[in-house]
Amino acid sequence: MNAIEAIGLKKRFNLEAGFFARFGKFVYAVNDVSFAIARGETYGLVGESGCGKTTTARLLVRMYEADSGRILFDGGKTDARALDRSGLRAYREKVKYVFQDPSRSLNPRMSVYEILTAAMRWSPSWPGKRAARERAAAIMEEVGLSAGDLDRRPADFSGGQRQRISIARGLIMNPEVLVCDEVVSALDVSIQGQILNLLLDVRERRGLSLLFIAHDLKVSGWFCDRIGVMYRGEMMEEAPARDLYREARHPYTKLLYASVAADGSSIQGEVARADSELSGCAFAGRCPLAEGRCRAERPEYREVSPGHRVRCHFA
Ligand SMILES: Nc1ncnc2c1ncn2[C@@H]1O[C@H](COP(=O)(O)OP(=O)(O)O)[C@@H](O)[C@H]1O
Ligand SMILES: [Mg+2]
């Protein structure tokens, strides 16, 4: 059963840069993106900086409003874009977003206790001060920190510990889906491993579904069950994580793996901004195989083998 499913999500932003605003210029940040995450599954989104991963994640948790498309939750029983206020509030407890950079997302003036319980405080499920304190203490232990640290402030912790606090904040309302947006990207490699292990533990223990966003293909390859590859706001390929390296079919995915082989494990590039509505393939301009058809006709996202989908005329 699917925990959450995106169907044809689209989001464009106004290019607010004063001069262009007058011409109605847009960035097509997410362009017809579809994927589903099964219960207990870890789904990886990869792609170069600027390809639309964060926007996709924020559409899912309803931090941004999609222009079109559907978000189905709980095996398709809930349409997350059609919720009323109280439905949306409940949804936001079930689908939680963990930010990339805890030093910016944790309020430096608040204590850890206040940070962990802030969302709960205004919710109908506020359990009272004593129970809230107990829950905060328990979640600290669960993420490998100490309940004795609840009255400290973010500045008293290391980068890895701050990311644990951020994850604890995501977990305290017992979500079903946790969206982890580059949660290890800013950390040293040794600390990355500890945070990834923590995520594996909580996933197991709680039966969580994870959306794991990273630009590191190696990490995503072993951490995730399935991977979706994005380029200029579009989903280009999706496959089981263990197969993607050997069986990549899209020229863009192959290019990513080739550049990883050349210089380490992460994707360094940045994609050109998609500032017009494309008629052809988003990758045609960079693709070594592109022909006239690729510039004229957008490829379908088709299944080439069970669980493996590719958006390319020639795959
Ligand atoms: N709030 C915003 N306003 C305007 N443009 C945005 C906004 N957020 C993202 N973008 C643009 O949308 C595109 C996708 O960005 P993003 O989703 O952050 O990509 P990624 O997370 O893969 O790096 C980029 O071109 C980015 O500049
Ligand atoms: Mg991002």
Side-chain angles (χ1 to χ4, degrees), residues 122-140:
W122 310 113
S123 128
S125 49
W126 172 248
K129 195 156 182 222
R130 200 166 138 175
R133 183 109 195 156
E134 274 166 20
R135 258 163 86 176
I139 208 86
M140 286 291 273

mmCIF file of all heavy atoms in Angstrom, residues 122-140:
data_model
loop_
_atom_site.group_PDB
_atom_site.id
_atom_site.type_symbol
_atom_site.label_atom_id
_atom_site.label_comp_id
_atom_site.label_asym_id
_atom_site.label_seq_id
_atom_site.Cartn_x
_atom_site.Cartn_y
_atom_site.Cartn_z
ATOM 1 N N TRP A 122 0.313 24.294 19.878
ATOM 2 C CA TRP A 122 -0.862 24.934 19.284
ATOM 3 C C TRP A 122 -1.813 23.909 18.672
ATOM 4 O O TRP A 122 -2.719 24.245 17.960
ATOM 5 C CB TRP A 122 -0.423 25.947 18.227
ATOM 6 C CG TRP A 122 0.629 26.849 18.763
ATOM 7 C CD1 TRP A 122 1.923 26.932 18.383
ATOM 8 C CD2 TRP A 122 0.477 27.800 19.826
ATOM 9 N NE1 TRP A 122 2.604 27.852 19.134
ATOM 10 C CE2 TRP A 122 1.743 28.406 20.030
ATOM 11 C CE3 TRP A 122 -0.600 28.193 20.644
ATOM 12 C CZ2 TRP A 122 1.957 29.370 20.997
ATOM 13 C CZ3 TRP A 122 -0.372 29.165 21.609
ATOM 14 C CH2 TRP A 122 0.892 29.738 21.784
ATOM 15 N N SER A 123 -1.534 22.655 18.944
ATOM 16 C CA SER A 123 -2.357 21.624 18.324
ATOM 17 C C SER A 123 -3.383 21.118 19.317
ATOM 18 O O SER A 123 -3.190 21.193 20.536
ATOM 19 C CB SER A 123 -1.435 20.495 17.844
ATOM 20 O OG SER A 123 -1.863 19.264 18.329
ATOM 21 N N PRO A 124 -4.494 20.595 18.831
ATOM 22 C CA PRO A 124 -5.502 20.042 19.735
ATOM 23 C C PRO A 124 -4.952 18.847 20.511
ATOM 24 O O PRO A 124 -5.522 18.459 21.526
ATOM 25 C CB PRO A 124 -6.642 19.604 18.809
ATOM 26 C CG PRO A 124 -6.273 20.027 17.443
ATOM 27 C CD PRO A 124 -4.862 20.477 17.411
ATOM 28 N N SER A 125 -3.813 18.306 20.045
ATOM 29 C CA SER A 125 -3.275 17.147 20.753
ATOM 30 C C SER A 125 -2.252 17.531 21.828
ATOM 31 O O SER A 125 -1.464 16.694 22.255
ATOM 32 C CB SER A 125 -2.677 16.142 19.756
ATOM 33 O OG SER A 125 -1.822 16.791 18.848
ATOM 34 N N TRP A 126 -2.216 18.806 22.214
ATOM 35 C CA TRP A 126 -1.327 19.230 23.310
ATOM 36 C C TRP A 126 -1.647 18.426 24.564
ATOM 37 O O TRP A 126 -2.779 18.457 25.063
ATOM 38 C CB TRP A 126 -1.499 20.723 23.563
ATOM 39 C CG TRP A 126 -0.782 21.235 24.788
ATOM 40 C CD1 TRP A 126 -1.360 21.692 25.933
ATOM 41 C CD2 TRP A 126 0.623 21.347 24.970
ATOM 42 N NE1 TRP A 126 -0.389 22.089 26.817
ATOM 43 C CE2 TRP A 126 0.841 21.888 26.270
ATOM 44 C CE3 TRP A 126 1.737 21.040 24.185
ATOM 45 C CZ2 TRP A 126 2.111 22.129 26.786
ATOM 46 C CZ3 TRP A 126 3.006 21.277 24.690
ATOM 47 C CH2 TRP A 126 3.190 21.816 25.977
ATOM 48 N N PRO A 127 -0.690 17.671 25.072
ATOM 49 C CA PRO A 127 -1.002 16.738 26.156
ATOM 50 C C PRO A 127 -0.849 17.335 27.553
ATOM 51 O O PRO A 127 -0.995 16.611 28.542
ATOM 52 C CB PRO A 127 0.041 15.638 25.933
ATOM 53 C CG PRO A 127 1.218 16.347 25.335
ATOM 54 C CD PRO A 127 0.692 17.539 24.594
ATOM 55 N N GLY A 128 -0.517 18.615 27.646
ATOM 56 C CA GLY A 128 -0.218 19.188 28.962
ATOM 57 C C GLY A 128 1.288 19.219 29.147
ATOM 58 O O GLY A 128 2.017 18.457 28.527
ATOM 59 N N LYS A 129 1.713 20.147 30.039
ATOM 60 C CA LYS A 129 3.135 20.429 30.116
ATOM 61 C C LYS A 129 3.968 19.220 30.549
ATOM 62 O O LYS A 129 5.023 18.931 29.980
ATOM 63 C CB LYS A 129 3.368 21.582 31.090
ATOM 64 C CG LYS A 129 4.751 22.136 30.934
ATOM 65 C CD LYS A 129 4.923 23.561 31.378
ATOM 66 C CE LYS A 129 6.369 23.913 31.074
ATOM 67 N NZ LYS A 129 7.092 24.655 32.023
ATOM 68 N N ARG A 130 3.449 18.510 31.522
ATOM 69 C CA ARG A 130 4.230 17.409 32.053
ATOM 70 C C ARG A 130 4.405 16.284 31.028
ATOM 71 O O ARG A 130 5.506 15.785 30.811
ATOM 72 C CB ARG A 130 3.535 16.880 33.299
ATOM 73 C CG ARG A 130 4.493 16.119 34.126
ATOM 74 C CD ARG A 130 3.928 15.897 35.485
ATOM 75 N NE ARG A 130 4.252 14.529 35.842
ATOM 76 C CZ ARG A 130 3.986 14.030 37.014
ATOM 77 N NH1 ARG A 130 3.360 14.762 37.912
ATOM 78 N NH2 ARG A 130 4.315 12.799 37.281
ATOM 79 N N ALA A 131 3.307 15.923 30.378
ATOM 80 C CA ALA A 131 3.378 14.856 29.373
ATOM 81 C C ALA A 131 4.228 15.300 28.184
ATOM 82 O O ALA A 131 4.968 14.506 27.594
ATOM 83 C CB ALA A 131 1.973 14.478 28.915
ATOM 84 N N ALA A 132 4.139 16.601 27.836
ATOM 85 C CA ALA A 132 4.935 17.105 26.716
ATOM 86 C C ALA A 132 6.422 16.975 27.038
ATOM 87 O O ALA A 132 7.230 16.588 26.200
ATOM 88 C CB ALA A 132 4.576 18.565 26.430
ATOM 89 N N ARG A 133 6.751 17.286 28.281
ATOM 90 C CA ARG A 133 8.139 17.191 28.719
ATOM 91 C C ARG A 133 8.617 15.727 28.649
ATOM 92 O O ARG A 133 9.731 15.450 28.224
ATOM 93 C CB ARG A 133 8.232 17.742 30.143
ATOM 94 C CG ARG A 133 9.605 17.779 30.715
ATOM 95 C CD ARG A 133 10.134 19.201 30.845
ATOM 96 N NE ARG A 133 11.574 19.126 31.054
ATOM 97 C CZ ARG A 133 12.439 20.079 30.767
ATOM 98 N NH1 ARG A 133 12.017 21.208 30.221
ATOM 99 N NH2 ARG A 133 13.715 19.930 30.988
ATOM 100 N N GLU A 134 7.739 14.837 29.043
ATOM 101 C CA GLU A 134 8.103 13.410 28.985
ATOM 102 C C GLU A 134 8.307 12.949 27.548
ATOM 103 O O GLU A 134 9.232 12.198 27.249
ATOM 104 C CB GLU A 134 7.011 12.554 29.650
ATOM 105 C CG GLU A 134 7.202 12.442 31.154
ATOM 106 C CD GLU A 134 5.966 11.904 31.867
ATOM 107 O OE1 GLU A 134 5.117 11.261 31.192
ATOM 108 O OE2 GLU A 134 5.842 12.144 33.077
ATOM 109 N N ARG A 135 7.423 13.423 26.677
ATOM 110 C CA ARG A 135 7.572 13.026 25.280
ATOM 111 C C ARG A 135 8.849 13.591 24.683
ATOM 112 O O ARG A 135 9.544 12.925 23.915
ATOM 113 C CB ARG A 135 6.370 13.501 24.463
ATOM 114 C CG ARG A 135 5.422 12.338 24.200
ATOM 115 C CD ARG A 135 4.077 12.803 23.780
ATOM 116 N NE ARG A 135 3.991 13.043 22.340
ATOM 117 C CZ ARG A 135 2.855 13.379 21.742
ATOM 118 N NH1 ARG A 135 1.749 13.490 22.433
ATOM 119 N NH2 ARG A 135 2.828 13.595 20.447
ATOM 120 N N ALA A 136 9.160 14.832 25.041
ATOM 121 C CA ALA A 136 10.385 15.454 24.528
ATOM 122 C C ALA A 136 11.605 14.693 25.045
ATOM 123 O O ALA A 136 12.570 14.457 24.304
ATOM 124 C CB ALA A 136 10.444 16.922 24.948
ATOM 125 N N ALA A 137 11.552 14.279 26.325
ATOM 126 C CA ALA A 137 12.674 13.526 26.900
ATOM 127 C C ALA A 137 12.839 12.193 26.183
ATOM 128 O O ALA A 137 13.954 11.787 25.834
ATOM 129 C CB ALA A 137 12.441 13.311 28.395
ATOM 130 N N ALA A 138 11.723 11.522 25.916
ATOM 131 C CA ALA A 138 11.793 10.209 25.267
ATOM 132 C C ALA A 138 12.344 10.338 23.844
ATOM 133 O O ALA A 138 13.156 9.511 23.397
ATOM 134 C CB ALA A 138 10.404 9.565 25.249
ATOM 135 N N ILE A 139 11.929 11.388 23.144
ATOM 136 C CA ILE A 139 12.371 11.521 21.751
ATOM 137 C C ILE A 139 13.862 11.863 21.707
ATOM 138 O O ILE A 139 14.582 11.453 20.800
ATOM 139 C CB ILE A 139 11.497 12.566 20.996
ATOM 140 C CG1 ILE A 139 11.464 12.228 19.499
ATOM 141 C CG2 ILE A 139 11.982 13.960 21.143
ATOM 142 C CD1 ILE A 139 10.412 11.247 19.131
ATOM 143 N N MET A 140 14.345 12.614 22.725
ATOM 144 C CA MET A 140 15.781 12.908 22.797
ATOM 145 C C MET A 140 16.572 11.615 22.907
ATOM 146 O O MET A 140 17.575 11.421 22.213
ATOM 147 C CB MET A 140 16.081 13.813 23.994
ATOM 148 C CG MET A 140 15.650 15.251 23.810
ATOM 149 S SD MET A 140 16.642 16.126 22.584
ATOM 150 C CE MET A 140 17.995 16.703 23.624
#
